[in-house]
Structures are given as structure tokens and as C-alpha cells.
Amino acid sequence: PSEFDARRACENAKAMIGNQFRDKDIVVECVLEQKGAPMLGHQTLLEQVILNLCKNARDAMLSAGVTKRHIYIRCAVVGDKIQLEVQDTGPGIAPEFHDRIFEPFFTTKDIGHGTGLGLSVSYGIIKEMNGILSSVPSDLGARFRIDVPSAEI
């Protein structure tokens, strides 16, 4: 693990999916705090988590036929934590699935479209960084929050 700026991980993840998502008429917007967001961990793993959340958002919006497709990636320092959020304008998560979405092999996708490991693996990656990945109630689509300790404590 090393210290890195979480904002850079957000920007890198956006850059990796930019063209592919643009081709599907999905706007990805980063809303990043001006001051640094130093955290301890592996930047590439955090990027992988952000990518997974964005890909899940893409799949949900496309399968639901959503016409206004946006994904918002937010990063801010909140007290002694770095807080990242990925939110979409899709159909959201059905209440009956909230308790199961982080279980290994749980998926709402059709057979052959996903393994049900993405959120489980992402949860484990964030846990290894002494953080937590959670689903947050939202009036607009699905919203996931990552809270990890700031490296400046």
C-alpha cells in the first residue's frame, strides 16, 4: 500500500470508460473537491472498484431503457475520511435486493451476463483499505458510497 490522491483514481477510472460509455450516450461526470484526498492503499484497486460500480450502472441503465443516462463520481474529504460516491440515473436497486447485493454470486442479471462477483470483490477491496462500501438510499438511481480513512489523520 502507498499514499495516493483518491481524486486521481476517480479521474483515471473516468478516462478508462470515457469513449466506451460515450458511445452508449452515457455521460460520466466527476465532481471532485479542490483539496487533496490522500488515502492509503492501492490506487489501481480503487480504480477497479470505481470501474465496477460504473459498469454496473451502465448495465442497469441500458437494460431498463433509461434515456437520460448519467453517472456521477464524487470525491470529498469528510472529517477524517475520504468519501467517494458513484451514482447513476438508472432504476435503482429493488428493496428486496438491498440485503444481498454484496453476497458472492448474487446477481440480478440474466444468465451469461455477469457472475455476481463484482460487488462482493469490490466490498473486499475497500475493506482491505480499512473502509466500507455501502449502498445509500437515493431518489435518483443507485448510489454507492465508499468511506476510507484519510491518510492525513
Side-chain angles (χ1 to χ4, degrees):
S2 59
E3 188 175 315
F4 66 94
D5 192 327
R7 297 173 308 167
R8 190 171 326 122
C10 295
E11 291 168 340
N12 288 350
K14 178 185 174 189
M16 284 186 250
I17 58 175
N19 289 334
Q20 180 189 51
F21 279 39
R22 213 174 355 264
D23 290 346
K24 301 283 186 192
D25 294 321
I26 300 171
V27 176
V28 181
E29 183 179 339
C30 283
V31 180
L32 308 175
E33 194 169 89
Q34 292 294 341
K35 70 178 187 173
M39 59 178 285
L40 190 62
H42 298 278
Q43 181 175 321
T44 56
L45 292 178
L46 181 60
E47 290 167 6
Q48 183 61 47
V49 170
I50 296 167
L51 286 171
N52 180 63
L53 294 172
C54 288
K55 288 177 179 181
N56 283 351
R58 173 202 61 199
D59 294 347
M61 289 187 292
L62 291 175
S63 70
V66 172
T67 54
K68 182 188 174 199
R69 291 174 257 195
H70 277 74
I71 298 173
Y72 302 95
I73 303 170
R74 298 181 185 96
C75 180
V77 178
V78 180
D80 61 352
K81 294 180 181 160
I82 306 300
Q83 190 173 85
L84 294 100
E85 289 187 347
V86 176
Q87 182 169 4
D88 63 55
T89 57
I93 301 166
E96 63 268 24
F97 299 140
H98 272 279
D99 292 341
R100 300 195 58 209
I101 59 174
F102 295 110
E103 290 177 11
F105 304 109
F106 177 78
T107 184
T108 59
K109 296 178 184 176
D110 292 333
I111 295 173
H113 297 279
T115 60
L117 289 173
L119 285 176
S120 177
V121 168
S122 294
Y123 185 90
I125 289 170
I126 298 304
K127 187 175 180 180
E128 285 293 316
M129 293 182 190
N130 296 314
I132 184 130
L133 170 61
S134 57
S135 173
V136 179
S138 171
D139 292 336
L140 176 70
R143 184 169 152 197
F144 287 88
R145 179 176 293 153
I146 299 167
D147 287 298
V148 291
S150 171
E152 289 185 352
I153 296 177

